[in-house]
Amino acid sequence: MKVHHSLAAAVLASALILPTAAPALAAQHQAPRPPGIEKQDTLRWVAPNDLKIGTAVAGGGHHETQPYPAPFPNDREYLQHLAAEFSSVSPENQLKWEFVHPERDTYRFAEMDAIVEFAQENKQVVRGHTLFWHSQNPAWLEEGDFSKEELRAILKDHIQTVVGRYAGKIQQWDVANEIFNDNGTLRTTDNIWIRELGPEIIADAFRWAHEADPKAKLFFNDYGVESVNAKSNAYLELIPRLQAQGVPVDGFAIQGHLSTRYGFPGDLRTNLQRFDDLGLETAITEIDVRMDVAAGTQPTAAQLEKQASYYQRALDACIAVEECNSFTIWGFTDKYSWVPVFFSGEGEATVMWNDFTRKPAYYALQESLEQASPGRGNR
């Protein structure tokens, strides 16, 4: 087995935040922050202790085709805000199969190692994303001629190698990602694992992850499950059945890729509560709120107000549910958002503009976090 280490030293060296005040701040056990941003004026500071405020760490995927260096670790201003604002980080693409496992006998860990190191330096937790998915798999896997036994061994090796490498360093894992169609049926066509190995392989994925790191919390993660619907109902039925078989499922995560062209999912809190009632942890893991914005124009004040309302209502729903302990924005600046690359005519989906100035959505989140702090934890 070959592991890429050649980039690790350079990536780690440039990833760490080193503003002039950093040594003093570290000595005071405070997270570094950009010059001019007071600690008391960041999302992570105003949040209650029992709620992690996270973001995706931009890199891999669509970023590799864009006309800029990898945001992490090359954009220093980006790194400063990443450290200052968030208590949790998730790799946007750096742990997806095509990135971290580009050839059968090759793992590419340098970038993820750097993210973990960055998180440790800045007192952040890490969510792992993702181990079992139908998308962003490498060609060698999807086009390979493997027997069922070989394919099962490949999946087990991947899960235990990746989870084992970060045991004790990654607190939560999206083990199985997007396994259901919108109508609540399993993805038996486009998910290579379910198609070739049967539904039972889902339980094995959780078991293998648990063996590699017994302390990590293991989640299902999906989009389109914000509401009470066929897809979320399928998870509500599946998870207790797996748990009855001794499968270590700890949580259910809702992605939350929203658009202002559609109504807000008003039953989000009710839906989260259904899973909380099962004794599960819950999380909102990939939220963004895209808007219809024509090329060369800016969103209107009314659009920004609506976007802010969606972000705030989603956060309020999480805060209202006891075991919803993680709220992650899928990228915090429009400068690096995936949305305009994949949704033609839509964009401006994050809480900061390209220059890292704050949108109304940022202040809406800050307001809800400030209001929640007295009842949810001590600063």
Side-chain angles (χ1 to χ4, degrees):
M1 181 185 302
K2 181 170 57 176
V3 177
H4 283 307
H5 289 296
S6 57
L7 296 178
V11 173
L12 286 170
S14 55
L16 301 181
I17 293 195
L18 299 172
T20 56
L25 289 170
Q28 299 171 39
H29 304 288
Q30 298 173 336
R33 60 188 182 277
I37 295 182
E38 294 298 325
K39 177 167 77 76
Q40 293 87 343
D41 190 32
T42 61
L43 295 177
R44 69 181 292 178
W45 190 85
V46 299
N49 282 353
D50 59 351
L51 178 64
K52 298 299 182 185
I53 299 299
T55 192
V57 178
H62 76 276
H63 298 287
E64 296 181 316
T65 63
Q66 300 302 305
Y68 50 70
F72 185 96
N74 296 295
D75 187 332
R76 188 175 181 84
E77 187 175 9
Y78 173 83
L79 295 175
Q80 291 172 335
H81 286 275
L82 180 65
E85 296 284 356
F86 303 100
S87 55
S88 173
V89 293
S90 304
E92 184 177 12
N93 295 288
Q94 298 92 332
L95 274 180
K96 291 174 181 173
W97 269 74
E98 66 178 4
F99 190 99
V100 77
H101 201 165
E103 300 172 19
R104 182 172 181 179
D105 297 319
T106 300
Y107 285 87
R108 177 182 176 182
F109 285 123
E111 289 82 357
M112 192 62 211
D113 287 350
I115 292 172
V116 170
E117 180 75 11
F118 178 92
Q120 291 174 334
E121 289 287 326
N122 293 291
K123 297 179 173 54
Q124 296 164 316
V125 299
V126 183
R127 295 195 82 256
H129 176 79
T130 177
L131 300 171
F132 180 108
W133 194 24
H134 68 277
S135 184
Q136 288 184 247
N137 289 325
W140 70 262
L141 175 65
E142 291 285 354
E143 300 171 10
D145 183 18
F146 302 113
S147 68
K148 292 184 184 299
E149 292 74 17
E150 288 175 317
L151 199 59
R152 179 180 168 86
I154 287 169
L155 179 61
K156 181 178 181 179
D157 174 78
H158 178 93
I159 290 175
Q160 297 207 317
T161 298
V162 174
V163 176
R165 183 179 185 87
Y166 300 110
K169 299 177 181 179
I170 290 183
Q171 285 71 32
Q172 296 181 349
W173 281 96
D174 293 330
V175 175
N177 196 49
E178 302 172 6
I179 64 167
F180 285 110
N181 296 304
D182 289 344
N183 64 2
T185 60
L186 282 172
R187 289 182 180 269
T188 55
T189 301
D190 53 355
N191 187 304
I192 185 174
W193 312 114
I194 300 173
R195 182 182 71 238
E196 302 298 330
L197 301 176
E200 296 78 16
I201 195 63
I202 299 167
D204 289 330
F206 278 87
R207 291 189 179 104
W208 292 332
H210 181 70
E211 289 172 4
D213 186 358
K215 293 184 178 180
K217 298 292 187 177
L218 307 181
F219 280 69
F220 282 100
N221 185 58
D222 213 328
Y223 68 90
V225 290
E226 294 81 16
S227 292
V228 175
N229 55 28
K231 201 174 190 180
S232 62
N233 285 343
Y235 283 105
L236 196 73
E237 186 277 331
L238 173 65
I239 295 173
R241 182 155 49 85
L242 290 176
Q243 289 179 317
Q245 300 168 13
V247 180
V249 180
D250 300 298
F252 176 70
I254 292 171
Q255 293 180 15
H257 296 295
L258 306 178
S259 171
T260 57
R261 65 171 59 172
Y262 309 112
F264 181 82
D267 56 350
L268 174 58
R269 175 181 173 180
T270 297
N271 194 34
L272 284 167
Q273 188 63 52
R274 296 197 301 164
F275 291 90
D276 184 274
D277 290 343
L278 294 178
L280 295 167
E281 294 187 20
T282 58
I284 294 176
T285 53
E286 304 181 25
I287 191 166
D288 44 36
V289 183
R290 60 191 187 271
M291 298 180 284
D292 290 290
V293 183
T297 68
Q298 293 290 319
T300 65
Q303 284 180 302
L304 290 169
E305 182 180 359
K306 188 173 184 180
Q307 179 187 58
S309 171
Y310 279 32
Y311 267 110
Q312 188 168 39
R313 291 172 71 184
L315 176 58
D316 288 345
C318 178
I319 289 171
V321 175
E322 185 175 1
E323 292 301 324
C324 187
N325 296 324
S326 182
F327 185 90
T328 297
I329 303 166
W330 206 242
F332 62 90
T333 171
D334 292 340
K335 185 177 182 179
Y336 298 126
S337 173
W338 72 294
V339 168
V341 179
F342 292 90
F343 294 89
S344 178
E346 294 184 89
E348 316 294 349
T350 76
V351 300
M352 291 185 186
W353 300 106
N354 287 356
D355 63 357
F356 302 100
T357 54
R358 298 165 174 179
K359 294 182 186 176
Y362 176 98
Y363 295 109
L365 293 179
Q366 191 177 54
E367 178 184 31
S368 285
L369 292 171
E370 288 176 335
Q371 292 175 354
S373 292
R376 297 255 310 188
N378 297 314
R379 294 179 181 173

